[in-house]
Amino acid sequence: MKELKSYIPSDWSTFLREEIHSKEFNEMEKEIVLLYNTKEIFPAKQQLFRAFHLCALNKLKVVILGQDPYHNTGQANGLAFSVPGGISLPPSLRNIYKELHSDTGAAIPFHGDLGNWAEQGVLLINAILSVEAHKAASHSKIGWQKFTDSIISRISDTKEQIVFILWGNFAHSKQNLIDETKHKIIKSAHPSPLSARNGFFGSQPFSQTNAYLELHKQKKINWDLPIYLK
């Protein structure tokens, strides 16, 4: 298997040069390569960094932070909260779509692929980028969080006027990595059925994001997704 870092597109690879050439990343890389060779790991290794491939660094406007990939077969596709076409919508994504419709009037699609958002500059990144099949959070101690924390910090330090959307307590814990004098933070409860009615529904993250982008003379995100995938 190729080195993991070789799957990171060149714009992000340059931006994250210090992180991906660190001793910690190299040690984690060896462990994950071994896991891919010996276990069933999601997403496919070619999709580990799909969030970076679809969201070009020079288009970055919004960061939506998830926790770790879906762990059932066929679900994880390298984008936080997203699943490939043809896969049943997970409960959290169903609730995201409900809030999207309530907030913006967008029609609810029949698929769960959020790639259209990513291509407009929405970085849909999980704090933990891989998982063993059917074992939720099984890679939470491997070292991914140090890497993704450093990504959030570097975006905060080097970019201006980025919207960070933090859903749930886990994402809220990353708030200290973000300079709120330069960026917009939108916080609410998690879209999980366990918590969505405790502050996620009605939080209007999509219209809030566009209001901030418009205020700062940036092109708004078209949150409407295709009803069907081609």
Side-chain angles (χ1 to χ4, degrees):
M1 177 179 170
K2 297 191 296 184
E3 290 184 319
L4 291 182
K5 61 177 69 75
S6 69
Y7 290 100
I8 302 175
S10 60
D11 55 344
W12 284 96
S13 182
T14 300
F15 183 67
L16 300 171
R17 179 181 288 114
E18 184 177 328
E19 286 81 3
I20 65 178
H21 291 286
S22 68
K23 179 181 177 183
E24 292 87 351
F25 187 90
N26 288 331
E27 289 176 353
M28 178 183 70
E29 184 176 52
K30 292 174 185 175
E31 184 174 357
I32 293 173
V33 167
L34 178 62
L35 288 168
Y36 268 105
N37 287 338
T38 57
K39 306 276 188 181
E40 187 178 13
I41 306 299
F42 302 137
K45 58 182 178 292
Q46 295 87 352
Q47 292 189 319
L48 264 179
F49 303 110
R50 184 168 178 248
F52 300 126
H53 281 274
L54 293 186
C55 178
L57 182 62
N58 64 3
K59 288 187 174 181
L60 178 64
K61 298 176 183 176
V62 182
V63 177
I64 297 180
L65 182 67
Q67 186 163 353
D68 69 328
Y70 298 119
H71 57 85
N72 289 327
T73 302
Q75 290 183 308
N77 69 354
L79 301 178
F81 297 103
S82 175
V83 294
I87 298 296
S88 296
L89 300 183
S92 291
L93 184 54
R94 287 186 182 278
N95 286 339
I96 290 169
Y97 282 172
K98 287 178 184 177
E99 179 60 21
L100 174 67
H101 176 70
S102 172
D103 185 11
T104 71
I108 296 175
F110 290 93
H111 64 87
D113 193 331
L114 303 179
N116 183 266
W117 292 356
E119 290 168 351
Q120 297 180 70
V122 180
L123 184 67
L124 293 149
I125 188 169
N126 285 310
I128 302 153
L129 296 184
S130 61
V131 67
E132 186 174 343
H134 316 301
K135 295 183 178 180
S138 51
H139 288 184
S140 61
K141 307 296 185 184
I142 285 178
W144 279 126
Q145 286 195 66
K146 181 175 175 56
F147 175 59
T148 53
D149 281 359
S150 67
I151 294 171
I152 296 168
S153 295
R154 187 168 292 273
I155 290 171
S156 175
D157 292 345
T158 62
K159 297 288 187 179
E160 301 283 341
Q161 298 162 358
I162 302 293
V163 179
F164 290 85
I165 299 177
L166 308 179
W167 289 328
N169 291 334
F170 177 84
H172 296 175
S173 72
K174 308 296 183 179
Q175 184 171 351
N176 66 321
L177 303 172
I178 303 162
D179 183 347
E180 295 184 62
T181 68
K182 296 168 58 183
H183 306 288
K184 171 76 170 177
I185 295 177
I186 298 174
K187 292 170 57 181
S188 76
H190 195 276
S192 160
L194 297 174
S195 55
R197 297 190 183 281
N198 295 324
F200 176 73
F201 289 137
S203 61
Q204 301 182 316
F206 308 103
S207 59
Q208 280 196 70
T209 294
N210 277 350
Y212 179 83
L213 293 175
E214 190 171 35
L215 178 66
H216 293 281
K217 297 180 170 53
Q218 297 187 64
K219 186 177 179 180
K220 296 185 290 185
I221 303 296
N222 178 8
W223 296 107
D224 289 56
L225 292 162
I227 299 300
Y228 300 100
L229 288 179
K230 294 181 180 177

